[in-house]
């Protein structure tokens, strides 16, 4: 399992380490490097999932999958307030030392140097945002740009009212967290037409 689970964390291992480790893990699944993968994985219904920074990693992995032979088929996968933008830049500086802050192509899919959204290699995407989250507008913008691009997939967005960033981690038993999990399960379990 060493190939699938990496322990290289920020800040000792800044970005792009997390992208590289995630790519290596995904290739391990693709190569079926562990016996349990063949027993439990459905290689025709594979989802890239991430929360917050993990969603950003999933976004980048969905572009890189064009580089392989597709034995695994991927099914789914900022604000203008300067004070809040500086706070987000500070978060990213912790994991991605860059003079560009949150305008680095690794973490911002809309700046020069970022891949074109039409190259996203998955069939469906769900974006979840929380009403009080500092990154809510970034999530909404991602959704809008994705559905208005030449990407060939289907996207949907879910906004949770009255909640903040990663609320479901801090309040996993609240009604809103349960509803989000229910909605994600419905998305993943959609039957193909």
């Amino acid at each position: 399992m060493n190939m699938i689970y990496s322990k290289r964390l920020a800040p000792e291992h800044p970005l792009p380490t997390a992208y590289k480790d995630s790519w290596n893990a995904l290739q391990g699944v693709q190569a079926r490097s562990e016996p349990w993968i063949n027993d439990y994985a459905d290689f025709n219904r594979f989802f890239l999932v991430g929360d917050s920074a993990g969603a950003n990693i999933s976004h980048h992995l969905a572009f890189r999958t064009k580089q392989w032979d597709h034995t695994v088929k991927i099914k789914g996968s900022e604000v203008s307030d300067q004070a809040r933008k500086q706070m987000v830049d500070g978060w990213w500086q912790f994991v991605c030392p860059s003079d560009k802050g949150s305008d680095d192509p690794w973490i911002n899919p809309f700046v020069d140097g970022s891949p074109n959204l039409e190259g996203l290699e998955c069939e469906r995407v769900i974006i979840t945002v929380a009403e009080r989250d500092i990154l809510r507008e970034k999530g909404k913008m991602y959704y809008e740009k994705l559905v208005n691009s030449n990407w060939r997939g289907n996207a949907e967005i879910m906004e949770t009212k009255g909640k903040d960033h990663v609320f479901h981690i801090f309040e996993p038993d609240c009604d809103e967290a349960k509803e989000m999990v229910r909605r994600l399960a419905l998305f993943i379990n959609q039957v193909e037409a």
Side-chain angles (χ1 to χ4, degrees), residues 3 20 22-33 64 67-68:
M3 182 175 190
K20 291 175 183 174
S22 297
W23 178 246
N24 289 338
L26 190 56
Q27 287 182 306
V29 171
Q30 156 99 0
R32 301 169 184 184
S33 61
R64 289 198 64 188
Q67 300 174 7
W68 64 15

Side-chain angles (χ1 to χ4, degrees), residues 43-57:
F43 292 97
N44 292 312
R45 294 181 44 86
F46 196 83
F47 284 80
L48 299 172
V49 179
D51 185 12
S52 193
N56 177 270
I57 292 171

Side-chain angles (χ1 to χ4, degrees), residues 4-186:
I4 295 186
Y5 299 104
S6 176
K7 296 180 182 177
R8 298 191 306 168
L9 304 173
E12 294 81 13
H13 302 280
L15 294 182
T17 302
Y19 301 102
K20 291 175 183 174
D21 290 350
S22 297
W23 178 246
N24 289 338
L26 190 56
Q27 287 182 306
V29 171
Q30 156 99 0
R32 301 169 184 184
S33 61
E34 299 288 335
W36 61 268
I37 292 173
N38 288 320
D39 294 339
Y40 297 103
D42 180 346
F43 292 97
N44 292 312
R45 294 181 44 86
F46 196 83
F47 284 80
L48 299 172
V49 179
D51 185 12
S52 193
N56 177 270
I57 292 171
S58 294
H59 166 84
H60 282 277
L61 290 177
F63 280 104
R64 289 198 64 188
T65 59
K66 281 193 164 197
Q67 300 174 7
W68 64 15
D69 65 5
H70 292 289
T71 59
V72 172
K73 186 173 185 180
I74 307 297
K75 300 298 282 186
S77 158
E78 240 151 313
V79 299
S80 59
D81 179 335
Q82 287 304 308
R84 296 183 87 177
K85 184 180 183 312
Q86 287 176 347
M87 185 169 67
V88 173
D89 285 350
W91 294 344
W92 281 110
Q93 193 63 29
F94 182 72
V95 295
C96 182
S98 168
D99 60 351
K100 298 175 184 172
S102 62
D103 288 328
D104 189 296
W106 278 114
I107 58 177
N108 187 337
F110 312 119
V111 297
D112 288 340
S114 295
N116 189 315
L117 290 175
E118 70 183 49
L120 195 61
E121 186 67 21
C122 62
E123 297 174 4
R124 295 185 291 133
V125 171
I126 186 169
I127 296 120
T128 62
V129 297
E131 179 182 30
R132 297 182 183 161
D133 189 344
I134 190 172
L135 300 173
R136 177 183 79 153
E137 294 307 314
K138 187 76 97 174
K140 287 181 166 185
M141 182 169 58
Y142 183 83
Y143 171 78
E144 290 298 325
K145 290 199 180 251
L146 188 59
V147 298
N148 291 311
S149 73
N150 290 324
W151 174 61
R152 299 169 318 227
N154 295 310
E156 54 186 88
I157 189 165
M158 173 189 175
E159 181 172 353
T160 302
K161 301 292 183 194
K163 293 298 181 180
D164 208 334
H165 192 70
V166 298
F167 71 92
H168 53 283
I169 293 173
F170 299 111
E171 305 174 68
D173 294 324
C174 74
D175 290 341
E176 294 84 355
K178 291 175 183 176
E179 175 58 21
M180 187 173 89
V181 169
R182 186 190 74 76
R183 180 89 179 269
L184 292 171
L186 287 172

